[in-house]
Amino acid sequence: MAGMMAERKPAGDRARHLGWGLLIGVGVGLGLRAAAEQGWGGATLPETVARQVLDPAGQIFLRLLLLAVVPLVFASIALGVLELGRSRGLGRMAWLTFLLFGLNMSVAVGLGLVGMNWVEPGRGVSAMEAGAVESNAGGTSPDREGRRPELSPSALVDMFLPKNWIRAVVDFQLLPVITFALLFGWAARTVDGPSAARVQELLAALVRVMFRMVDLAMALAPVGVAALVAVAVMRMGLELLAALAGFVAVVIGAMLLHAVGVLGWVVWRWGGWSPLRFWRATRLALLTAFCTSSSAATLPTSLAVARDRLGLRAATTAFVLPLGATMNMSGTALYEGCVVLFVAQVYGADLAWVDQLTLLVLAVASAVAVASVPGASLPVIMGLLAQFRLPPEGIALVLGVDRLLDMARTTLNVAADLVTACVVDRVTGRADSDEMQQGRPADVGSGSDAVADQG
Ligand code: ASP
């Protein structure tokens, strides 16, 4: 959420350097591996370089990123709930929009998880045995045995409302943080106007500050990624690269399936558009999303495309598209689920179906909180990894390909917003005209508010 994110410096340029970080890391890693095999420079030299130089360099980057996780997730969710409650009531249009957002994200995560379970790209590698991306300075250990959560009522209460909140935060447990943020945002809505406005301002400022910190971490990302990947490749060899290629193929495949199969069908069945004509009409917005990796930066183009090319009513687009750009992140949710499962596979950890169901719910809930800017889901994914007792540093495995996948997931995010706008416009438009014929005033819900808001 957090629409104020536009102020943040674009991370696109830095993210582009991640590809170089990956390549350099692979080169250094292969060099160190060859040195270890050939005994160049003494038997212990490559391991010493990895432990004393590369590991600490990678950890500086990762820990800076980790610092932002809890405050960022808390502030974005609480702010979202507060903003939503203060600005709008929930009319028919709003309910339909939220229902479609939820379904869209859930199906997308489901497709990603099915693909990852089917192909299992991370299975051939065992980072855990090799300790490949774990810090010698003490990363979180993946917990293979204690993984199956009980689903008894008291276990569920513990999961959402732990006895010790401080420990939950220290362990990067995201679920209690989300619960707290939702309750906090709801409670802040119900206090008097000036206090609620102050809390809203404070949360917005906190989100902005945390994003500055993410920017700082991302400035070090190319070096951090090179160091982490070099250690991983040195210990795991080319197996890791094959696994990574498999991961990219599964993520892109699941995204294409969601776009062409699910969204194409929905826009044909309920949006009144043939999929081919729809993709052609919206290609400017999709291309902008692909190039900028930012749903927020694409919003003006999406609004123009929805009005000029799709001919949607202003009441619909003014409500659905801005909200979609901040909340409706099917590409992001799909990606989050895939990364967690990939890291679990690489670390040899089994995620039972109950865990994967929890992952689906968490991926959807946390994607809503992801800001619509490049690379915004990375800190959230680290929180998700910790929630499943996987080492947050496992994210390093995918950082080198994150730029490409960010372009793809943002395109899917924007495509789903436009499909939702078509469906909502058609369904509510039809209902409105039925009501007019029966002489009743049409309930355009918050769409009319949104238009009024825009002046
Ligand atoms: N770049 C994505 C967007 O703007 C968010 C993310 O997944 O990082 O939609």
Side-chain angles (χ1 to χ4, degrees), residues 120 123 143-144 147-148 344 347-352 355-356:
E120 297 198 312
R123 268 294 170 230
D143 166 12
R144 287 208 246 186
R147 167 163 314 284
R148 279 169 223 288
Y347 278 87
D350 267 336
L351 287 193
D355 302 309
Q356 298 201 23

Side-chain angles (χ1 to χ4, degrees), residues 410-454:
T410 308
T411 310
L412 185 57
N413 290 343
V414 170
D417 295 343
L418 288 163
V419 169
T420 308
C422 283
V423 175
V424 169
D425 194 64
R426 190 149 185 257
V427 172
T428 57
R430 218 190 268 150
D432 290 349
S433 65
D434 286 353
E435 281 176 356
M436 303 257 251
Q437 275 168 13
Q438 290 164 18
R440 273 190 281 145
D443 165 24
V444 288
S446 32
S448 49
D449 296 348
V451 175
D453 284 348
Q454 304 223 336

